[in-house]
Amino acid sequence: MFTHLGAAGLELGTGTADTQVSGSIFTDISGNGLEIGGGDGQTHANSVEVTTNHLYGLPREHHGAVGILNGYTPHNTSRTTSSDHLGCTARALRLDGTEVAASTASAADYKRLAYIRIGGLPEDDGPFTVIVTAANAQGTSAPSLASAPLLPTAATMPADAPTGPKLRTAAHAATVAWTPPVKTGDAKVIGYRLTLSDGRTIEVTGRDALVGQPSGKGMFRVIGGLTPSTAYTVTVAAVTAAGAGPAATVTATTKAGQTGSEWAPGIPRRPASGRSGGECRQARQARLVIATEQQLCQLR
């Protein structure tokens, strides 16, 4: 598994030959998922076989990056390697291959949630395997490899509360940060529920919520529409198939409001007859100090 990386997930550079990349997951990577070969005039990567891999949730930062970058690479093969951001259909099958249930999600819904819920499974039946197909304007893909056999069970134990909540405030917005819970009960975390003391509820879903589980990677969410010089309390709860678990709570007060038209304290306004060059420089320096203090407050 290639994940939480700051550059490419895996680089098979110039001169790479007779190499296989199989059964791997590439996700939460800043740049390209898999790079093969180099530029013109360099020794080609040759006979590289890429099969049955899954690339998703990338690139995180370098938005011109791609899942698989092929340089000068003759005689290479890529097959049954899937990538997301399409419309998807998940089908549950008995071990004999009989389909028992299916569910379809649009590309927008799958991007928002990063999972598909399959309902209507027969009680006291199974185990089941799951296959996924993707569709776009050109048609439907070949099915994915089947998942490991799964026996559905009712989830009754919710996840523990997230840990280390922090609330960093500005005048009209705040960033709430937390770490995923250590114990997730008898199901995986599929999202987080934020409750604000002003009555709002915010659902946090998507790949970040799912990718954040295995390594305890920190999570955050920016909240807007706040009032300056006001105390806010935010609770954060992990959501699983068993529902929302106990919440972590954090409280902070937003900064006093500042606008670009406000004058710096202690600096006289320009008289009707005008202002000297020294007064202008003094005013500009004072405004710069205020702006710098606001930026530092947002980073604390």
Side-chain angles (χ1 to χ4, degrees), residues 171-295:
H172 298 279
T175 299
V176 56
W178 68 93
T179 300
V182 176
K183 297 180 180 179
T184 63
D186 50 12
K188 296 291 187 181
V189 174
I190 56 176
Y192 295 89
R193 183 169 298 160
L194 309 185
T195 303
L196 281 66
S197 54
D198 64 7
R200 285 183 288 169
T201 298
I202 300 173
E203 301 290 342
V204 179
T205 58
R207 291 184 180 85
D208 285 339
L210 304 183
V211 171
Q213 295 180 70
S215 66
K217 174 186 175 184
M219 303 285 298
F220 72 92
R221 179 66 183 256
V222 177
I223 303 170
L226 305 183
T227 302
S229 302
T230 303
Y232 285 90
T233 297
V234 180
T235 66
V236 185
V239 179
T240 69
T249 302
V250 62
T251 299
T253 300
T254 51
K255 308 302 181 187
Q258 295 279 2
T259 66
S261 61
E262 290 176 343
W263 196 252
I267 303 300
R269 290 189 177 275
R270 181 175 60 183
S273 58
R275 185 189 303 147
S276 68
E279 289 175 328
C280 290
R281 285 193 298 273
Q282 187 182 16
R284 285 196 298 269
Q285 290 170 355
R287 288 198 296 270
L288 178 60
V289 169
I290 291 175
T292 303
E293 288 178 347
Q294 289 176 330
Q295 292 168 354

Side-chain angles (χ1 to χ4, degrees), residues 27-296:
T27 186
D28 194 26
I29 296 169
S30 295
N32 298 318
L34 173 60
E35 295 181 359
I36 306 173
D40 190 16
Q42 299 176 319
T43 304
H44 295 168
N46 188 45
S47 300
V48 175
E49 187 172 327
V50 180
T51 59
T52 61
N53 299 285
H54 187 193
L55 297 94
Y56 70 98
L58 59 92
R60 289 293 189 194
E61 296 177 84
H62 307 297
H63 297 296
V66 294
I68 299 178
L69 176 64
N70 259 316
Y72 285 79
T73 57
H75 311 300
N76 291 339
T77 302
S78 177
R79 62 175 180 268
T80 59
T81 292
S82 60
S83 58
D84 296 338
H85 287 84
L86 299 170
C88 297
T89 299
R91 293 179 170 84
L93 312 175
R94 292 191 179 91
L95 296 185
D96 63 5
T98 304
E99 181 175 324
V100 295
S103 182
T104 300
S106 68
D109 286 343
Y110 187 74
K111 181 178 180 180
R112 177 174 58 86
L113 297 174
Y115 64 85
I116 300 176
R117 188 186 298 274
I118 303 177
L121 294 174
E123 295 183 5
D124 302 321
D125 200 354
F128 304 107
T129 59
V130 176
I131 62 171
V132 180
T133 55
N136 61 14
Q138 304 303 316
T140 302
S141 72
S144 69
L145 297 177
S147 70
L150 303 170
L151 188 62
T153 57
T156 59
M157 183 181 300
D160 287 354
T163 59
K166 295 180 177 62
L167 189 59
R168 302 178 178 90
T169 62
H172 298 279
T175 299
V176 56
W178 68 93
T179 300
V182 176
K183 297 180 180 179
T184 63
D186 50 12
K188 296 291 187 181
V189 174
I190 56 176
Y192 295 89
R193 183 169 298 160
L194 309 185
T195 303
L196 281 66
S197 54
D198 64 7
R200 285 183 288 169
T201 298
I202 300 173
E203 301 290 342
V204 179
T205 58
R207 291 184 180 85
D208 285 339
L210 304 183
V211 171
Q213 295 180 70
S215 66
K217 174 186 175 184
M219 303 285 298
F220 72 92
R221 179 66 183 256
V222 177
I223 303 170
L226 305 183
T227 302
S229 302
T230 303
Y232 285 90
T233 297
V234 180
T235 66
V236 185
V239 179
T240 69
T249 302
V250 62
T251 299
T253 300
T254 51
K255 308 302 181 187
Q258 295 279 2
T259 66
S261 61
E262 290 176 343
W263 196 252
I267 303 300
R269 290 189 177 275
R270 181 175 60 183
S273 58
R275 185 189 303 147
S276 68
E279 289 175 328
C280 290
R281 285 193 298 273
Q282 187 182 16
R284 285 196 298 269
Q285 290 170 355
R287 288 198 296 270
L288 178 60
V289 169
I290 291 175
T292 303
E293 288 178 347
Q294 289 176 330
Q295 292 168 354
L296 289 174

